[in-house]
Amino acid sequence: MNTIFAVLLVFVGCCSNVVFLELLVRKFPGCGNIVTFAQFAFIALEGFIFETNFGRKKPAIPMSNYVIMVTMFFTVSVINNYALNFNIAMPLHMIFRSGSLIANMILGIIILKKRYSMSKYLSIAMVSLGIFICTIMSARQVNTGSEGSEEQDVYAFLHWLLGIAMLTFALLMSARMGIFQETLYKQYGKHSKEALFYNHCLPLPGFLLLSSDIYNHCVLFSQSTPVEVPVIGQAVPVMWLYLLINVITQYVCIRGVFILTTECASLTVTLVVTLRKFISLIISILYFKNPFTAWHWVGTAVVFLGTLIYTEVWTSVRMALRGKEELKEKKAE
């Protein structure tokens, strides 16, 4: 029952979160910092009350380790959101972040000296190919979509290229953080909810560096069209309403993933998150009418097929079917 509830939380929370994030980004493309700050503040407040019991509960993992992990987590979150300012379309942003498998494998080989099966290398090659196809097609759209001078076209392309470089750096940093977190969990045990709290609480002072940008967007949000909220009967600027729903759905999404990690095997969690990404992508394309060519569809299909091969879904399905057949044979005997 908990597993079904968690899966519903992941799909409803994460898919809704993507919709409201794009509503915010379409109106104010540079609003990534205020969105990130609001999400961090909400999750930190919830964790402070329910996880640390108003600061009275001591952390199981030494604080010095959390400082390192939080520095990486904060950097990844800010760069991923800030990349949207550089002509990065939301579908490309989502597909590119699906390349975490590649980054994890590369750093796993380099840092942890891991070795993988041929199916793992095949899946990584497919994910790389899919991302490459989508990236190249988006680059062509950047080049041909502008009606300005040749100099403006070059500037737009370089601007987009900088966004791709930021996403690449965030991808590698995120993989490094995952390896560091895996090492901590092996040493001190799994404390996912505690890590969730400190990952969102400790970076809050860092937003002081972004305070002017956050304040400017507060002003812009307050100037947006007011809409009446039925429950309270008051008119609220629509962008603040979108932000509130985005923050709540982000919490629901993360909470669902947390429950899944405690209830299910990692294979199930990876599969659910992968399917969620795919559905979010479809919603983004259809609802917002994002430009998506046939080649984008090919690239997307290859990315997610490679991800499914990586999680060895086919092997698990075959083993499950074989087990059922053997059970039937035993009953027949």
PDB file of all heavy atoms in Angstrom, residues 128-155:
ATOM      1  N   SER A 128      23.823   8.210 -24.452  1.00  0.00           N
ATOM      2  CA  SER A 128      24.706   9.240 -25.021  1.00  0.00           C
ATOM      3  C   SER A 128      24.248   9.626 -26.422  1.00  0.00           C
ATOM      4  O   SER A 128      24.191  10.815 -26.770  1.00  0.00           O
ATOM      5  CB  SER A 128      26.150   8.731 -25.080  1.00  0.00           C
ATOM      6  OG  SER A 128      26.600   8.340 -23.807  1.00  0.00           O
ATOM      7  N   LEU A 129      23.904   8.613 -27.243  1.00  0.00           N
ATOM      8  CA  LEU A 129      23.443   8.867 -28.608  1.00  0.00           C
ATOM      9  C   LEU A 129      22.149   9.666 -28.609  1.00  0.00           C
ATOM     10  O   LEU A 129      21.990  10.622 -29.388  1.00  0.00           O
ATOM     11  CB  LEU A 129      23.246   7.540 -29.341  1.00  0.00           C
ATOM     12  CG  LEU A 129      22.694   7.627 -30.771  1.00  0.00           C
ATOM     13  CD1 LEU A 129      23.668   8.383 -31.669  1.00  0.00           C
ATOM     14  CD2 LEU A 129      22.407   6.226 -31.327  1.00  0.00           C
ATOM     15  N   GLY A 130      21.215   9.284 -27.727  1.00  0.00           N
ATOM     16  CA  GLY A 130      19.937   9.988 -27.655  1.00  0.00           C
ATOM     17  C   GLY A 130      20.102  11.448 -27.281  1.00  0.00           C
ATOM     18  O   GLY A 130      19.494  12.332 -27.892  1.00  0.00           O
ATOM     19  N   ILE A 131      20.947  11.708 -26.284  1.00  0.00           N
ATOM     20  CA  ILE A 131      21.191  13.094 -25.867  1.00  0.00           C
ATOM     21  C   ILE A 131      21.900  13.864 -26.971  1.00  0.00           C
ATOM     22  O   ILE A 131      21.600  15.040 -27.231  1.00  0.00           O
ATOM     23  CB  ILE A 131      22.005  13.123 -24.554  1.00  0.00           C
ATOM     24  CG1 ILE A 131      21.148  12.594 -23.402  1.00  0.00           C
ATOM     25  CG2 ILE A 131      22.490  14.533 -24.236  1.00  0.00           C
ATOM     26  CD1 ILE A 131      21.870  12.485 -22.097  1.00  0.00           C
ATOM     27  N   PHE A 132      22.828  13.212 -27.650  1.00  0.00           N
ATOM     28  CA  PHE A 132      23.553  13.854 -28.757  1.00  0.00           C
ATOM     29  C   PHE A 132      22.580  14.273 -29.865  1.00  0.00           C
ATOM     30  O   PHE A 132      22.650  15.396 -30.375  1.00  0.00           O
ATOM     31  CB  PHE A 132      24.607  12.896 -29.307  1.00  0.00           C
ATOM     32  CG  PHE A 132      25.375  13.437 -30.482  1.00  0.00           C
ATOM     33  CD1 PHE A 132      26.367  14.392 -30.299  1.00  0.00           C
ATOM     34  CD2 PHE A 132      25.091  13.009 -31.769  1.00  0.00           C
ATOM     35  CE1 PHE A 132      27.067  14.901 -31.384  1.00  0.00           C
ATOM     36  CE2 PHE A 132      25.778  13.515 -32.860  1.00  0.00           C
ATOM     37  CZ  PHE A 132      26.772  14.459 -32.664  1.00  0.00           C
ATOM     38  N   ILE A 133      21.638  13.378 -30.220  1.00  0.00           N
ATOM     39  CA  ILE A 133      20.663  13.691 -31.270  1.00  0.00           C
ATOM     40  C   ILE A 133      19.817  14.904 -30.880  1.00  0.00           C
ATOM     41  O   ILE A 133      19.645  15.848 -31.663  1.00  0.00           O
ATOM     42  CB  ILE A 133      19.749  12.473 -31.548  1.00  0.00           C
ATOM     43  CG1 ILE A 133      20.544  11.341 -32.216  1.00  0.00           C
ATOM     44  CG2 ILE A 133      18.565  12.862 -32.439  1.00  0.00           C
ATOM     45  CD1 ILE A 133      19.781  10.026 -32.314  1.00  0.00           C
ATOM     46  N   CYS A 134      19.280  14.882 -29.653  1.00  0.00           N
ATOM     47  CA  CYS A 134      18.430  15.985 -29.194  1.00  0.00           C
ATOM     48  C   CYS A 134      19.205  17.290 -29.093  1.00  0.00           C
ATOM     49  O   CYS A 134      18.676  18.365 -29.411  1.00  0.00           O
ATOM     50  CB  CYS A 134      17.813  15.634 -27.838  1.00  0.00           C
ATOM     51  SG  CYS A 134      16.597  14.307 -27.929  1.00  0.00           S
ATOM     52  N   THR A 135      20.450  17.210 -28.648  1.00  0.00           N
ATOM     53  CA  THR A 135      21.273  18.413 -28.513  1.00  0.00           C
ATOM     54  C   THR A 135      21.568  19.027 -29.873  1.00  0.00           C
ATOM     55  O   THR A 135      21.452  20.249 -30.061  1.00  0.00           O
ATOM     56  CB  THR A 135      22.599  18.086 -27.789  1.00  0.00           C
ATOM     57  OG1 THR A 135      22.306  17.464 -26.536  1.00  0.00           O
ATOM     58  CG2 THR A 135      23.409  19.342 -27.544  1.00  0.00           C
ATOM     59  N   ILE A 136      21.931  18.194 -30.853  1.00  0.00           N
ATOM     60  CA  ILE A 136      22.235  18.689 -32.194  1.00  0.00           C
ATOM     61  C   ILE A 136      21.003  19.330 -32.832  1.00  0.00           C
ATOM     62  O   ILE A 136      21.078  20.407 -33.429  1.00  0.00           O
ATOM     63  CB  ILE A 136      22.762  17.543 -33.093  1.00  0.00           C
ATOM     64  CG1 ILE A 136      24.149  17.100 -32.630  1.00  0.00           C
ATOM     65  CG2 ILE A 136      22.808  17.966 -34.559  1.00  0.00           C
ATOM     66  CD1 ILE A 136      25.215  18.180 -32.710  1.00  0.00           C
ATOM     67  N   MET A 137      19.828  18.682 -32.675  1.00  0.00           N
ATOM     68  CA  MET A 137      18.597  19.233 -33.254  1.00  0.00           C
ATOM     69  C   MET A 137      18.221  20.562 -32.605  1.00  0.00           C
ATOM     70  O   MET A 137      17.758  21.482 -33.275  1.00  0.00           O
ATOM     71  CB  MET A 137      17.451  18.221 -33.109  1.00  0.00           C
ATOM     72  CG  MET A 137      17.646  16.929 -33.897  1.00  0.00           C
ATOM     73  SD  MET A 137      18.113  17.199 -35.636  1.00  0.00           S
ATOM     74  CE  MET A 137      16.662  18.079 -36.244  1.00  0.00           C
ATOM     75  N   SER A 138      18.430  20.675 -31.300  1.00  0.00           N
ATOM     76  CA  SER A 138      18.149  21.938 -30.614  1.00  0.00           C
ATOM     77  C   SER A 138      19.131  23.017 -31.049  1.00  0.00           C
ATOM     78  O   SER A 138      18.774  24.191 -31.162  1.00  0.00           O
ATOM     79  CB  SER A 138      18.216  21.756 -29.094  1.00  0.00           C
ATOM     80  OG  SER A 138      17.176  20.925 -28.657  1.00  0.00           O
ATOM     81  N   ALA A 139      20.370  22.616 -31.318  1.00  0.00           N
ATOM     82  CA  ALA A 139      21.370  23.579 -31.803  1.00  0.00           C
ATOM     83  C   ALA A 139      20.958  24.116 -33.162  1.00  0.00           C
ATOM     84  O   ALA A 139      21.087  25.317 -33.447  1.00  0.00           O
ATOM     85  CB  ALA A 139      22.739  22.905 -31.893  1.00  0.00           C
ATOM     86  N   ARG A 140      20.415  23.258 -34.017  1.00  0.00           N
ATOM     87  CA  ARG A 140      19.959  23.695 -35.338  1.00  0.00           C
ATOM     88  C   ARG A 140      18.798  24.669 -35.204  1.00  0.00           C
ATOM     89  O   ARG A 140      18.699  25.638 -35.938  1.00  0.00           O
ATOM     90  CB  ARG A 140      19.526  22.484 -36.167  1.00  0.00           C
ATOM     91  CG  ARG A 140      20.695  21.628 -36.645  1.00  0.00           C
ATOM     92  CD  ARG A 140      20.218  20.456 -37.464  1.00  0.00           C
ATOM     93  NE  ARG A 140      19.496  20.902 -38.658  1.00  0.00           N
ATOM     94  CZ  ARG A 140      18.862  20.083 -39.496  1.00  0.00           C
ATOM     95  NH1 ARG A 140      18.850  18.777 -39.250  1.00  0.00           N
ATOM     96  NH2 ARG A 140      18.239  20.546 -40.547  1.00  0.00           N
ATOM     97  N   GLN A 141      17.910  24.427 -34.232  1.00  0.00           N
ATOM     98  CA  GLN A 141      16.795  25.342 -34.012  1.00  0.00           C
ATOM     99  C   GLN A 141      17.272  26.704 -33.527  1.00  0.00           C
ATOM    100  O   GLN A 141      16.736  27.737 -33.901  1.00  0.00           O
ATOM    101  CB  GLN A 141      15.817  24.746 -32.981  1.00  0.00           C
ATOM    102  CG  GLN A 141      15.001  23.590 -33.538  1.00  0.00           C
ATOM    103  CD  GLN A 141      14.101  22.970 -32.494  1.00  0.00           C
ATOM    104  OE1 GLN A 141      14.054  23.416 -31.351  1.00  0.00           O
ATOM    105  NE2 GLN A 141      13.390  21.932 -32.884  1.00  0.00           N
ATOM    106  N   VAL A 142      18.319  26.690 -32.710  1.00  0.00           N
ATOM    107  CA  VAL A 142      18.886  27.960 -32.243  1.00  0.00           C
ATOM    108  C   VAL A 142      19.477  28.727 -33.414  1.00  0.00           C
ATOM    109  O   VAL A 142      19.321  29.934 -33.545  1.00  0.00           O
ATOM    110  CB  VAL A 142      19.963  27.714 -31.158  1.00  0.00           C
ATOM    111  CG1 VAL A 142      20.726  28.992 -30.865  1.00  0.00           C
ATOM    112  CG2 VAL A 142      19.323  27.185 -29.889  1.00  0.00           C
ATOM    113  N   ASN A 143      20.150  28.003 -34.302  1.00  0.00           N
ATOM    114  CA  ASN A 143      20.795  28.649 -35.443  1.00  0.00           C
ATOM    115  C   ASN A 143      19.791  29.189 -36.443  1.00  0.00           C
ATOM    116  O   ASN A 143      19.972  30.260 -37.006  1.00  0.00           O
ATOM    117  CB  ASN A 143      21.720  27.655 -36.162  1.00  0.00           C
ATOM    118  CG  ASN A 143      22.993  27.405 -35.380  1.00  0.00           C
ATOM    119  OD1 ASN A 143      23.461  28.264 -34.670  1.00  0.00           O
ATOM    120  ND2 ASN A 143      23.538  26.196 -35.495  1.00  0.00           N
ATOM    121  N   THR A 144      18.715  28.436 -36.712  1.00  0.00           N
ATOM    122  CA  THR A 144      17.776  28.818 -37.760  1.00  0.00           C
ATOM    123  C   THR A 144      16.594  29.615 -37.229  1.00  0.00           C
ATOM    124  O   THR A 144      15.860  30.218 -37.996  1.00  0.00           O
ATOM    125  CB  THR A 144      17.232  27.556 -38.464  1.00  0.00           C
ATOM    126  OG1 THR A 144      16.590  26.734 -37.485  1.00  0.00           O
ATOM    127  CG2 THR A 144      18.354  26.777 -39.114  1.00  0.00           C
ATOM    128  N   GLY A 145      16.411  29.597 -35.900  1.00  0.00           N
ATOM    129  CA  GLY A 145      15.229  30.246 -35.343  1.00  0.00           C
ATOM    130  C   GLY A 145      15.347  31.749 -35.271  1.00  0.00           C
ATOM    131  O   GLY A 145      14.363  32.456 -35.132  1.00  0.00           O
ATOM    132  N   SER A 146      16.525  32.314 -35.336  1.00  0.00           N
ATOM    133  CA  SER A 146      16.719  33.753 -35.215  1.00  0.00           C
ATOM    134  C   SER A 146      16.646  34.424 -36.571  1.00  0.00           C
ATOM    135  O   SER A 146      17.133  33.915 -37.560  1.00  0.00           O
ATOM    136  CB  SER A 146      18.078  34.035 -34.557  1.00  0.00           C
ATOM    137  OG  SER A 146      18.331  35.416 -34.550  1.00  0.00           O
ATOM    138  N   GLU A 147      16.011  35.609 -36.614  1.00  0.00           N
ATOM    139  CA  GLU A 147      15.895  36.351 -37.866  1.00  0.00           C
ATOM    140  C   GLU A 147      16.823  37.561 -37.869  1.00  0.00           C
ATOM    141  O   GLU A 147      16.699  38.448 -38.690  1.00  0.00           O
ATOM    142  CB  GLU A 147      14.444  36.803 -38.065  1.00  0.00           C
ATOM    143  CG  GLU A 147      13.479  35.632 -38.208  1.00  0.00           C
ATOM    144  CD  GLU A 147      12.051  36.088 -38.391  1.00  0.00           C
ATOM    145  OE1 GLU A 147      11.833  37.324 -38.365  1.00  0.00           O
ATOM    146  OE2 GLU A 147      11.162  35.235 -38.565  1.00  0.00           O
ATOM    147  N   GLY A 148      17.748  37.613 -36.941  1.00  0.00           N
ATOM    148  CA  GLY A 148      18.662  38.740 -36.857  1.00  0.00           C
ATOM    149  C   GLY A 148      19.827  38.595 -37.818  1.00  0.00           C
ATOM    150  O   GLY A 148      19.838  37.771 -38.732  1.00  0.00           O
ATOM    151  N   SER A 149      20.862  39.411 -37.575  1.00  0.00           N
ATOM    152  CA  SER A 149      22.048  39.391 -38.427  1.00  0.00           C
ATOM    153  C   SER A 149      22.868  38.143 -38.115  1.00  0.00           C
ATOM    154  O   SER A 149      22.599  37.409 -37.167  1.00  0.00           O
ATOM    155  CB  SER A 149      22.878  40.647 -38.171  1.00  0.00           C
ATOM    156  OG  SER A 149      23.342  40.656 -36.833  1.00  0.00           O
ATOM    157  N   GLU A 150      23.896  37.926 -38.935  1.00  0.00           N
ATOM    158  CA  GLU A 150      24.771  36.774 -38.735  1.00  0.00           C
ATOM    159  C   GLU A 150      25.486  36.875 -37.398  1.00  0.00           C
ATOM    160  O   GLU A 150      25.689  35.877 -36.707  1.00  0.00           O
ATOM    161  CB  GLU A 150      25.791  36.706 -39.882  1.00  0.00           C
ATOM    162  CG  GLU A 150      26.664  35.461 -39.831  1.00  0.00           C
ATOM    163  CD  GLU A 150      27.618  35.382 -41.006  1.00  0.00           C
ATOM    164  OE1 GLU A 150      27.366  36.051 -42.020  1.00  0.00           O
ATOM    165  OE2 GLU A 150      28.622  34.656 -40.903  1.00  0.00           O
ATOM    166  N   GLU A 151      25.851  38.101 -37.023  1.00  0.00           N
ATOM    167  CA  GLU A 151      26.534  38.323 -35.745  1.00  0.00           C
ATOM    168  C   GLU A 151      25.620  37.967 -34.568  1.00  0.00           C
ATOM    169  O   GLU A 151      26.058  37.366 -33.588  1.00  0.00           O
ATOM    170  CB  GLU A 151      26.964  39.791 -35.642  1.00  0.00           C
ATOM    171  CG  GLU A 151      27.866  40.089 -34.445  1.00  0.00           C
ATOM    172  CD  GLU A 151      28.365  41.519 -34.450  1.00  0.00           C
ATOM    173  OE1 GLU A 151      28.691  42.030 -35.543  1.00  0.00           O
ATOM    174  OE2 GLU A 151      28.424  42.123 -33.366  1.00  0.00           O
ATOM    175  N   GLN A 152      24.318  38.292 -34.694  1.00  0.00           N
ATOM    176  CA  GLN A 152      23.353  37.959 -33.651  1.00  0.00           C
ATOM    177  C   GLN A 152      23.139  36.449 -33.560  1.00  0.00           C
ATOM    178  O   GLN A 152      22.958  35.893 -32.476  1.00  0.00           O
ATOM    179  CB  GLN A 152      22.021  38.663 -33.917  1.00  0.00           C
ATOM    180  CG  GLN A 152      22.068  40.171 -33.667  1.00  0.00           C
ATOM    181  CD  GLN A 152      20.779  40.854 -34.066  1.00  0.00           C
ATOM    182  OE1 GLN A 152      20.133  40.464 -35.038  1.00  0.00           O
ATOM    183  NE2 GLN A 152      20.390  41.883 -33.328  1.00  0.00           N
ATOM    184  N   ASP A 153      23.169  35.793 -34.742  1.00  0.00           N
ATOM    185  CA  ASP A 153      23.026  34.336 -34.780  1.00  0.00           C
ATOM    186  C   ASP A 153      24.180  33.662 -34.047  1.00  0.00           C
ATOM    187  O   ASP A 153      23.979  32.704 -33.293  1.00  0.00           O
ATOM    188  CB  ASP A 153      22.976  33.832 -36.227  1.00  0.00           C
ATOM    189  CG  ASP A 153      21.669  34.211 -36.916  1.00  0.00           C
ATOM    190  OD1 ASP A 153      20.724  34.592 -36.209  1.00  0.00           O
ATOM    191  OD2 ASP A 153      21.616  34.129 -38.156  1.00  0.00           O
ATOM    192  N   VAL A 154      25.388  34.159 -34.277  1.00  0.00           N
ATOM    193  CA  VAL A 154      26.571  33.597 -33.625  1.00  0.00           C
ATOM    194  C   VAL A 154      26.479  33.813 -32.113  1.00  0.00           C
ATOM    195  O   VAL A 154      26.766  32.903 -31.324  1.00  0.00           O
ATOM    196  CB  VAL A 154      27.862  34.242 -34.184  1.00  0.00           C
ATOM    197  CG1 VAL A 154      29.074  33.812 -33.365  1.00  0.00           C
ATOM    198  CG2 VAL A 154      28.055  33.854 -35.647  1.00  0.00           C
ATOM    199  N   TYR A 155      26.034  35.006 -31.710  1.00  0.00           N
ATOM    200  CA  TYR A 155      25.903  35.307 -30.287  1.00  0.00           C
ATOM    201  C   TYR A 155      24.876  34.386 -29.635  1.00  0.00           C
ATOM    202  O   TYR A 155      25.101  33.857 -28.534  1.00  0.00           O
ATOM    203  CB  TYR A 155      25.478  36.769 -30.087  1.00  0.00           C
ATOM    204  CG  TYR A 155      25.193  37.121 -28.649  1.00  0.00           C
ATOM    205  CD1 TYR A 155      26.232  37.353 -27.743  1.00  0.00           C
ATOM    206  CD2 TYR A 155      23.880  37.186 -28.178  1.00  0.00           C
ATOM    207  CE1 TYR A 155      25.966  37.656 -26.415  1.00  0.00           C
ATOM    208  CE2 TYR A 155      23.600  37.475 -26.856  1.00  0.00           C
ATOM    209  CZ  TYR A 155      24.658  37.719 -25.978  1.00  0.00           C
ATOM    210  OH  TYR A 155      24.390  38.015 -24.674  1.00  0.00           O
TER     211      TYR A 155
END
